[in-house]
Amino acid sequence: MNPTAAGPVHQEERESHVTMPPSEGEASSAQGIAMGSSASASGGHTDIRVKGRALSVRSARIEGRTVVVTGTWLRMAAVYDEEFVEGEPVPDPEAFLAALTRSRLSADIFTFAQKLPDVTPRYGYYREWDNPAVIPITTFSNWWDHQVESSVRRAVRKATKVGVVVEPAELNEAFVKGIVDIYGETPVRQGKAFWHYQKDAEAVRTENATYPERSAFLGAYHKDELVGFLKIIYVDKTASIVQILSKMKHFDKRPTNALIAKAVELCEQKGLSHLVYCSYVYNDPNSSLTEFKRRNGFEQLRLPRYYVPVTLKGRIALKLALHRGLARHIPTALLVKLLKMRSLWYSRRSPITKATA
């Protein structure tokens, strides 16, 4: 992405975890939300959120997984919330594809990816590469001393010095109210319309209550005020940040850096292998969000993502790279300019912006 308000406002738009290849602004922060689902081998529907909107999409239970199909002309199939599925999402691709073909989903292309730490391609299907932002977890002291920049250490120390306290939190009434206040601070974040602006408490509670048995919240407090929060979901031996957001007016207190530091500490305590924060690069490799991740110790890994045509249309679309979406066909230099223009337009609508911490 190309956020103009980075630092304390990183909130990748992870609303749809159908796990299609993300175009700018399509893959990241509130988590994928199954507002209600009914899927079987013969077909059903699952509710997902895409760009802040709830959509009911065709789905089916295949080999123990819920598979959803999105798209109109080109129908893309993927395991629902693939990155949060424990174990291999697709342990036997051939059997999975055979069952998908027999289903009534009418998919043109099926996509799936390998999971950390399995980075070596294992299948002969056409593949591209996901690029998750990852902190390999050894010890907190190793992250502190060797994986982050000195500016991050200063920021975390400053947060402590000015009275920011980061601690585990529960999704109770007070915490929900704090999130509502953060969501309602500004209608624009990261140079674009903020999808969660002015959501009420009921919506906030529902949308943040996914995977309750495998998730955890951290709250950053200044005095009695929630000035930032983070949600992670545990998947096997990894932890995935699905939302991290702080109040812009408390930017100078560096709560976002403090939240990430606490998350690394929590991962060490639980013996996890990696902390994942969405993708490392979207369309602009020089974005402030990518730079923020780099300074905080995140590294870019490459995970193979496979695209398997199921129909003749799918084979043709794959050869023409139509599965990538429009943004992927725009030259990078032009796309970056367009994104900057969008950010400038939105910044004029909402003057509350900050530089990267």
Side-chain angles (χ1 to χ4, degrees):
M1 299 189 176
N2 186 25
T4 58
V9 297
H10 294 314
Q11 192 254 359
E12 300 194 62
E13 302 138 13
R14 190 197 297 274
E15 290 244 350
S16 172
H17 287 295
V18 176
T19 324
M20 301 301 164
S23 60
E24 185 77 13
E26 286 184 345
S28 88
S29 155
Q31 48 281 16
I33 301 160
M35 296 165 58
S37 64
S38 176
S40 65
S42 60
H45 289 82
T46 295
D47 290 339
I48 64 173
R49 298 188 71 86
V50 177
K51 295 185 177 181
R53 295 179 295 118
L55 298 176
S56 180
V57 297
R58 287 289 305 277
S59 64
R61 290 291 291 177
I62 297 175
E63 299 289 307
R65 304 297 190 202
T66 297
V67 176
V68 295
V69 173
T70 58
T72 52
W73 179 80
L74 184 64
R75 295 173 61 81
M76 300 285 291
V79 174
Y80 174 73
D81 268 4
E82 177 185 27
E83 63 193 280
F84 300 142
V85 171
E86 293 194 297
E88 283 296 321
V90 185
D92 186 343
E94 289 298 317
F96 202 97
L97 286 164
L100 176 62
T101 302
R102 293 192 301 268
S103 74
R104 299 179 183 177
L105 289 180
S106 301
D108 296 308
I109 295 175
F110 174 62
T111 180
F112 69 102
Q114 291 175 207
K115 294 178 63 176
L116 289 171
D118 188 13
V119 298
T120 302
R122 291 193 280 117
Y123 305 112
Y125 308 117
Y126 171 76
R127 68 175 180 268
E128 296 179 2
W129 298 92
D130 287 348
N131 72 116
V134 173
I135 295 178
I137 302 297
T138 53
T139 63
F140 178 85
S141 60
N142 183 68
W143 173 79
W144 183 261
D145 293 333
H146 304 294
Q147 294 174 270
V148 303
E149 289 195 348
S150 58
S151 61
V152 173
R153 291 192 288 271
R154 290 195 299 271
V156 176
R157 291 190 185 106
K158 180 176 182 179
T160 301
K161 184 177 180 180
V162 299
V164 173
V165 177
V166 178
E167 58 189 20
E170 299 291 334
L171 193 63
N172 54 29
E173 183 177 352
F175 196 71
V176 168
K177 183 181 182 302
I179 296 176
V180 169
D181 290 343
I182 293 173
Y183 282 177
E185 185 180 25
T186 174
V188 176
R189 287 184 183 266
Q190 294 184 357
K192 62 191 300 183
F194 183 46
W195 296 334
H196 306 298
Y197 180 62
Q198 291 187 330
K199 282 185 175 176
D200 60 31
E202 182 179 357
V204 169
R205 182 185 298 278
T206 300
E207 295 177 8
N208 283 279
T210 56
Y211 300 96
E213 72 285 354
R214 292 195 283 118
S215 63
F217 290 93
L218 295 175
Y221 297 90
H222 183 253
K223 299 180 180 177
D224 294 327
E225 181 182 3
L226 183 70
V227 298
F229 77 99
L230 175 151
K231 179 178 179 178
I232 57 178
I233 295 177
Y234 301 118
V235 186
D236 299 321
K237 296 291 289 183
T238 68
S240 183
I241 296 175
V242 296
Q243 191 162 199
I244 178 170
L245 198 66
S246 301
K247 284 187 175 178
M248 293 179 178
K249 69 178 183 180
H250 290 287
F251 167 82
D252 61 319
K253 299 177 179 65
R254 303 299 193 265
T256 307
N257 299 104
L259 284 164
I260 290 176
K262 192 67 173 182
V264 172
E265 183 180 339
L266 185 62
C267 287
E268 180 192 4
Q269 293 171 358
K270 289 184 171 294
L272 302 180
S273 63
H274 297 85
L275 176 64
V276 185
Y277 182 10
C278 303
S279 294
Y280 192 79
V281 175
Y282 290 94
N283 290 312
D284 180 5
N286 298 313
S287 74
S288 57
L289 179 54
T290 295
E291 179 63 13
F292 174 85
K293 292 178 181 181
R294 184 192 67 78
R295 285 201 305 274
N296 279 270
F298 290 92
E299 305 171 4
Q300 181 181 33
L301 290 187
R302 285 161 54 88
L303 284 176
R305 171 166 292 283
Y306 302 96
Y307 294 87
V308 186
V310 182
T311 64
L312 175 60
K313 183 196 295 184
R315 288 193 290 273
I316 295 172
L318 202 58
K319 286 185 178 295
L320 297 176
L322 299 179
H323 64 292
R324 297 179 180 177
L326 176 63
R328 297 298 180 92
H329 293 273
I330 300 175
T332 300
L334 175 59
L335 183 58
V336 170
K337 289 182 180 179
L338 292 173
L339 293 172
K340 288 182 178 178
M341 290 173 60
R342 183 187 68 179
S343 296
L344 179 62
W345 186 82
Y346 274 114
S347 68
R348 289 175 177 173
R349 294 179 58 191
S350 177
I352 308 176
T353 57
K354 296 288 185 180
T356 303

